[in-house]
Amino acid sequence: MGDLPPKRSLKRWLVTTNHKDVGVLYLATALFFLVFGGVLALVFRTHLWEAGGTGLLSDSQYNQSVSLHGLLMVFWFLSPFASGFANYFVPLQIGAKDLAFPRLNALSYWFYLFSGILVGGSFFLGGSFEGGWTMYAPLNVPVYSPGTVAATIGSNATIFALLLFTLSITLGTINFLVTIHRSRAEGMGLWNMPMFTWSWLLTVWMMLFAFAALLAALLLLAIDRTFLTQYFGSGDGSSLLWGHIFWFFGHPEVYIVFFPALGIMFETFQTFTGRRLVGRKWVIIAMVLVAVQSFLVWMHHMFLTTINLEIKTLMMATTIGISLPFDLMVFALIYTMVKGRVRFTTPFLFSLGALVLFILGGITGVFLGAVVLDYEFRGTYWVVAHFHYVMVSGVTALVGGLYYWWPKITGKMYSETLGKLNFAVYFIGFNLLYFPMFLAWETPRRVFDYGESMEIFHQIATVGAFVLGASFLMLFATLAHSLVKGPRAPDNPWKYSRTAEWAIPSPPPLDNWTGRPSYSSGRLEFVDDSQTATDGGVATEADVATTHHEEEHADHASIWPFGIGLGTFTLFLGLSGLTPYVFDYVEPKYEGSVALNDSGMIEPNVVYPALVGLGLAILAVTLFKFGVEQFDAPEAAVAERWPFEGVDNTKLGVWVFLASDVVVFGAAIGALIFMRLNVGWNEWHIDAMTFHGLFNTYVLLTSSFTVILALVMAERKNKRGLLATMGATLALGLLFMGVKAIEYSTKIGDGHYWFSGVEYSIYFVTTGLHALHVLLGLIVAAFMIYRIVSVDAYLEDSRPVEYFGLYWHFVDIVWVVLFPLFYLM
């Protein structure tokens, strides 16, 4: 399925893999979740009109509204909205025809959409999650959460929705990192990339590691809730463990959200001042420093915990340190404006407004970076105000980006008068909503009761919330008017724009370019493929053939990403209802849709196991079809690839994926070490079965050797040898799983369950996470054997065997780390 239906067809949007279509899907879906989260905010702001609450919401409904508002805005709106711009414009800005892996790009979107459907559906599964967007332990496990048994299913659905969203982010980061590093137009070095692309490159590098930490935290939490393990409900330092893992993600997330907005500000300031960004190289260096430092300051969110004062002081210093590069960026924007000729268009007004709001948010954040002041402000509306002045200033710039690129996406201009009026209402509503929160700072965060002296400030804020909401209605009306009655946009409506997307028609054609973009002369040119210059001068026949192949045979359509997304959604929905948690309920006999037995144990409704089975069945079919589908997404024949010239796209993608997986296992292993030290290293007993562990170590090491032999056989085009060595790898992996099953059953037979104590929870989960990786590898190995038998695969191109080997060796290395930790220590 290579050809795309017309845009007016529903089928087009179900099968498309084209980066511009996927970008539009992201933008439209993110705006829906903006409205969803915004309506929740208006509801609980109305509830806060009077001290003590108006009675509009019950306690549980208030907590759900606040929690889901935060989750929707942080996860389902902010990053995906920026991702929509990145999907659409990063390939255009770097001169690529698409992302490196178009089908994975579509799959990333469908995971995002279905995760949003699952989190929205949580309200209809007994009630959504109530523990705040930070999901602090132990409030994130059912036994410490208020509500009915049925509400547990809705909370589970929220956690699984976040897991699915995180998988979406992981696929997207791999795709963008490979694309930006290996598909830049000839002559475009890293230093020469547009500022929005630079900001997005650093964003996805941060995403790769930060969301891997979140994925680990969510996996542990989902297993706690579904299988009764005791990571976060046991005491024994479990609350501190959640804080460390979550905020290792949570603080980089602030910059993950803000960097794309910053990139838009850089682009629009350059365009509407008519001059290059002042100190551009130093701004890039400052952004790199922030990206690295963002992982070194997470504990300033934990100043009120039992971490010792010396560590808190160190974290205070790093927090102050990370503000310094931002100072440079802010002054660069101000000097660019001062030295240029400003044109106050709608995009520029939103970008300038974002800068003003961010400065105020940053200054008030410095208060929270000081340990002593944080003791006073933590958990109050000062944090709420500061947080929104930073995060929603990013939204302000993103709205500016929507106005900036709207003519390119749609081919239509909008009314500047309506746009400027929209900005005025937005800016007034923003400050009416959030600034009074600084004045009402003594109000406890996430609590609907507050002192009567604070009432006037909350009433002003509520009015501001409705004004801000009205500004978004004006935004939608302005853009709708543009679509219906707006004049046709020229290819470049902005006089001083300087990036490549403005050099092609509005909207861009399906394949972006006629000819190949090149910057080898120092400016953008479109080179005739038959005249392509290479390192040796004239293109080789292979180069020309590859480029022609790109133009004529690149595919743009596949239904299987949608199918995989649907299957994963069905599976996760089913898993949400499988929690066998013990409650103190015996009567009534039925609570919501969940039956209870005489002991109070939840008996899952038969619908949920059926959904698990259905989801697995859909995944089995769609993943198989995905694997055998003939889909062509060739690499560019000529491109800048530093520093990965000798690595093809797929191999780099595997490396990047494994880098994120290192963080996942690192979090799991870190949890083991942290909890063992907390309990007492020598008080930790799991009755290790050393022989089983040692035997399995030999088995996996031998399987690594057979994978190497498989690659040799593939390179020699020896089909029998390839089948034998891949079969041996499969057999050794199955032997490993068999020994592990014997080990697990023996422990369970001795009365040591995964819920018997925190040490057994960590043993079963950590080794089980590794076993899951082995299982996934075995599925891939079985599929590869099928392909060898059926179509003589991998004899002409042995690279897939090499890629599988990289994954398998990684799994083996992880076991070499786990073996001494669990069996020898």
Side-chain angles (χ1 to χ4, degrees):
M1 186 187 290
D3 298 328
L4 279 176
K7 287 186 177 181
R8 293 183 180 274
S9 166
L10 175 63
K11 183 180 179 182
R12 162 70 170 250
W13 303 102
L14 293 176
V15 303
T16 186
T17 65
N18 183 265
H19 73 95
K20 296 182 293 297
D21 289 346
V22 174
V24 170
L25 287 170
Y26 265 108
L27 290 171
T29 308
L31 286 172
F32 168 79
F33 287 115
L34 165 68
V35 174
F36 188 177
V39 168
L40 290 175
L42 293 178
V43 169
F44 69 72
R45 280 306 324 169
T46 302
H47 183 80
L48 291 168
W49 182 259
E50 296 176 353
T54 62
L56 180 65
L57 300 172
S58 68
D59 294 359
S60 175
Q61 290 169 341
Y62 178 84
N63 290 335
Q64 289 179 53
S65 298
V66 171
S67 300
L68 262 292
H69 165 74
L71 289 169
L72 287 168
M73 291 304 197
V74 171
F75 293 106
W76 278 275
F77 167 60
L78 277 164
S79 289
F81 195 54
S83 185
F85 291 129
N87 266 277
Y88 203 107
F89 292 107
V90 164
L92 294 176
Q93 289 194 341
I94 66 174
K97 290 202 168 184
D98 208 320
L99 292 181
F101 310 111
R103 289 189 301 170
L104 288 187
N105 192 33
L107 180 58
S108 174
Y109 168 74
W110 291 115
F111 276 177
Y112 162 56
L113 175 64
F114 282 119
S115 70
I117 294 173
L118 186 56
V119 77
S122 66
F123 284 104
F124 304 98
L125 296 173
S128 194
F129 187 75
E130 298 185 34
W133 82 272
T134 54
M135 298 175 286
Y136 282 138
L139 298 178
N140 54 12
V141 294
V143 73
Y144 291 104
S145 303
T148 64
V149 179
T152 300
I153 297 176
S155 296
N156 287 355
T158 308
I159 304 304
F160 278 105
L162 280 165
L163 267 173
L164 188 53
F165 176 83
T166 307
L167 293 177
S168 165
I169 290 291
T170 301
L171 291 176
T173 56
I174 293 169
N175 217 342
F176 277 109
L177 286 171
V178 174
T179 301
I180 296 173
H181 281 297
R182 284 192 43 83
S183 300
R184 303 188 305 278
E186 181 184 24
M188 179 180 279
L190 285 175
W191 280 113
N192 307 122
M193 291 193 309
M195 292 305 296
F196 178 72
T197 297
W198 250 115
S199 71
W200 189 251
L201 175 63
L202 294 173
T203 297
V204 290
W205 270 117
M206 288 188 287
M207 279 181 169
L208 182 72
F209 300 112
F211 274 90
L214 178 64
L215 177 62
L218 292 170
L219 278 171
L220 301 182
L221 178 57
I223 294 169
D224 260 13
R225 298 182 66 93
T226 307
F227 297 106
L228 305 177
T229 55
Q230 298 182 36
Y231 273 91
F232 303 120
S234 64
D236 297 327
S238 59
S239 297
L240 203 56
L241 173 64
W242 174 266
H244 280 299
I245 301 177
F246 180 84
W247 285 116
F248 188 80
F249 150 79
H251 198 79
E253 170 67 1
V254 175
Y255 308 113
I256 286 168
V257 166
F258 192 73
F259 263 34
L262 196 59
I264 290 171
M265 292 161 66
F266 291 144
E267 296 287 0
T268 52
F269 267 66
Q270 290 182 124
T271 297
F272 298 113
T273 62
R275 66 162 293 127
R276 185 179 173 91
L277 181 68
V278 172
R280 184 181 189 274
K281 183 177 292 188
W282 291 106
V283 168
I284 293 172
I285 292 171
M287 293 171 69
V288 173
L289 287 174
V290 169
V292 173
Q293 285 179 267
S294 68
F295 291 93
L296 305 176
V297 299
W298 79 94
M299 273 188 271
H300 74 219
H301 293 274
M302 304 168 68
F303 281 164
L304 268 63
T305 67
T306 56
I307 297 170
N308 66 57
L309 183 59
E310 290 78 10
I311 297 296
K312 291 178 182 178
T313 304
L314 175 63
M315 285 293 155
M316 181 173 68
T318 59
T319 302
I320 295 170
I322 203 171
S323 69
L324 300 179
F326 274 112
D327 296 340
L328 188 151
M329 294 181 229
V330 167
F331 282 115
L333 287 168
I334 292 172
Y335 280 124
T336 301
M337 185 168 54
V338 169
K339 291 178 177 291
R341 293 184 176 180
V342 177
R343 287 169 296 142
F344 289 96
T345 61
T346 301
F348 182 79
L349 285 173
F350 274 95
S351 294
L352 179 60
L355 177 61
V356 172
L357 299 173
F358 176 71
I359 290 172
L360 184 55
I363 291 172
T364 55
V366 172
F367 288 71
L368 299 170
V371 176
V372 175
L373 289 175
D374 188 71
Y375 273 52
E376 187 70 17
F377 287 128
R378 179 65 59 185
T380 72
Y381 260 58
W382 183 278
V383 178
V384 178
H386 153 71
F387 181 78
H388 284 85
Y389 262 89
V390 172
M391 302 292 269
V392 189
S393 68
V395 176
T396 310
L398 291 172
V399 173
L402 184 59
Y403 275 113
Y404 181 60
W405 280 310
W406 180 259
K408 180 58 60 179
I409 295 172
T410 64
K412 294 291 189 75
M413 293 301 295
Y414 53 84
S415 166
E416 273 290 336
T417 301
L418 290 178
K420 290 175 180 177
L421 181 61
N422 179 203
F423 169 74
V425 175
Y426 176 96
F427 199 75
I428 292 169
F430 183 107
N431 288 287
L432 274 178
L433 171 56
Y434 298 121
F435 192 80
M437 295 182 185
F438 286 120
L439 305 178
W441 70 269
E442 292 178 290
T443 304
R445 189 179 184 184
R446 301 194 188 103
V447 176
F448 61 80
D449 198 5
Y450 55 85
E452 290 187 7
S453 62
M454 302 290 108
E455 190 171 81
I456 184 61
F457 302 124
H458 283 281
Q459 290 179 345
I460 295 171
T462 299
V463 171
F466 281 91
V467 174
L468 185 63
S471 75
F472 282 101
L473 294 179
M474 293 179 63
L475 168 67
F476 300 144
T478 301
L479 299 183
H481 178 269
S482 168
L483 283 176
V484 175
K485 295 186 177 181
R488 183 164 183 79
D491 294 347
N492 183 8
W494 316 124
K495 185 176 180 181
Y496 296 110
S497 57
R498 58 182 68 231
T499 47
E501 71 267 28
W502 303 110
I504 55 177
S506 300
L510 181 65
D511 288 314
N512 297 347
W513 320 102
T514 53
R516 177 176 56 80
S518 173
Y519 292 88
S520 58
S521 67
R523 60 187 180 87
L524 177 61
E525 295 178 329
F526 294 98
V527 180
D528 188 319
D529 294 323
S530 62
Q531 304 289 325
T532 301
T534 63
D535 292 340
V538 180
T540 65
E541 290 183 10
D543 287 333
V544 175
T546 302
T547 309
H548 287 173
H549 182 64
E550 267 183 59
E551 292 179 352
E552 297 170 9
H553 300 292
D555 292 323
H556 293 288
S558 174
I559 191 62
W560 304 120
F562 170 79
I564 295 169
L566 178 63
T568 309
F569 165 78
T570 307
L571 172 63
F572 281 14
L573 178 60
L575 290 173
S576 299
L578 293 184
T579 303
Y581 215 100
V582 179
F583 284 80
D584 293 326
Y585 293 102
V586 177
E587 297 294 341
K589 193 68 175 178
Y590 288 88
E591 185 72 40
S593 60
V594 182
L596 303 178
N597 61 24
D598 291 337
S599 65
M601 178 78 75
I602 298 177
E603 295 176 354
N605 188 314
V606 69
V607 170
Y608 294 105
L611 286 172
V612 171
L614 177 61
L616 289 172
I618 295 172
L619 277 175
V621 172
T622 53
L623 284 169
F624 177 79
K625 292 291 188 179
F626 186 93
V628 300
E629 181 180 44
Q630 295 297 313
F631 187 92
D632 199 6
E635 296 184 22
V638 179
E640 296 291 335
R641 311 193 197 278
W642 187 87
F644 300 107
E645 295 95 335
V647 184
D648 62 57
N649 283 356
T650 308
K651 182 187 284 189
L652 180 57
V654 173
W655 282 0
V656 172
F657 163 72
L658 295 180
S660 70
D661 219 12
V662 167
V663 177
V664 174
F665 275 107
I669 294 170
L672 159 67
I673 296 172
F674 179 87
M675 295 300 283
R676 184 164 182 177
L677 288 172
N678 189 76
V679 171
W681 192 267
N682 295 322
E683 302 300 318
W684 191 271
H685 300 294
I686 57 171
D687 300 325
M689 302 173 70
T690 305
F691 174 76
H692 293 74
L694 182 61
F695 181 80
N696 263 347
T697 302
Y698 284 118
V699 167
L700 276 190
L701 290 176
T702 305
S703 72
S704 269
F705 178 67
T706 59
V707 168
I708 295 171
L709 289 179
L711 179 59
V712 173
M713 294 300 169
E715 290 172 343
R716 294 179 179 178
K717 302 183 180 180
N718 184 336
K719 180 177 179 180
R720 287 188 177 182
L722 179 57
L723 273 174
T725 49
M726 286 299 296
T729 303
L730 181 65
L732 289 167
L734 290 171
L735 177 59
F736 175 90
M737 295 294 283
V739 173
K740 182 57 64 179
I742 293 171
E743 184 179 333
Y744 284 171
S745 61
T746 301
K747 287 195 177 297
I748 292 171
D750 293 338
H752 300 310
Y753 295 90
W754 51 90
F755 49 80
S756 297
V758 65
E759 63 270 39
Y760 284 101
S761 292
I762 290 177
Y763 160 74
F764 276 103
V765 171
T766 310
T767 58
L769 179 62
H770 175 265
L772 176 62
H773 280 70
V774 174
L775 177 61
L776 294 175
L778 292 177
I779 293 171
V780 174
F783 175 78
M784 294 179 73
I785 291 171
Y786 162 79
R787 296 281 287 168
I788 295 167
V789 172
S790 60
V791 295
D792 293 340
Y794 319 125
L795 299 179
E796 297 301 325
D797 183 0
S798 63
R799 289 178 299 175
V801 180
E802 180 185 4
Y803 307 147
F804 170 74
L806 290 174
Y807 172 82
W808 196 255
H809 298 322
F810 170 77
V811 172
D812 294 351
I813 290 169
V814 170
W815 179 255
V816 170
V817 175
L818 295 182
F819 170 62
L821 286 173
F822 284 105
Y823 296 88
L824 301 180
M825 300 172 68

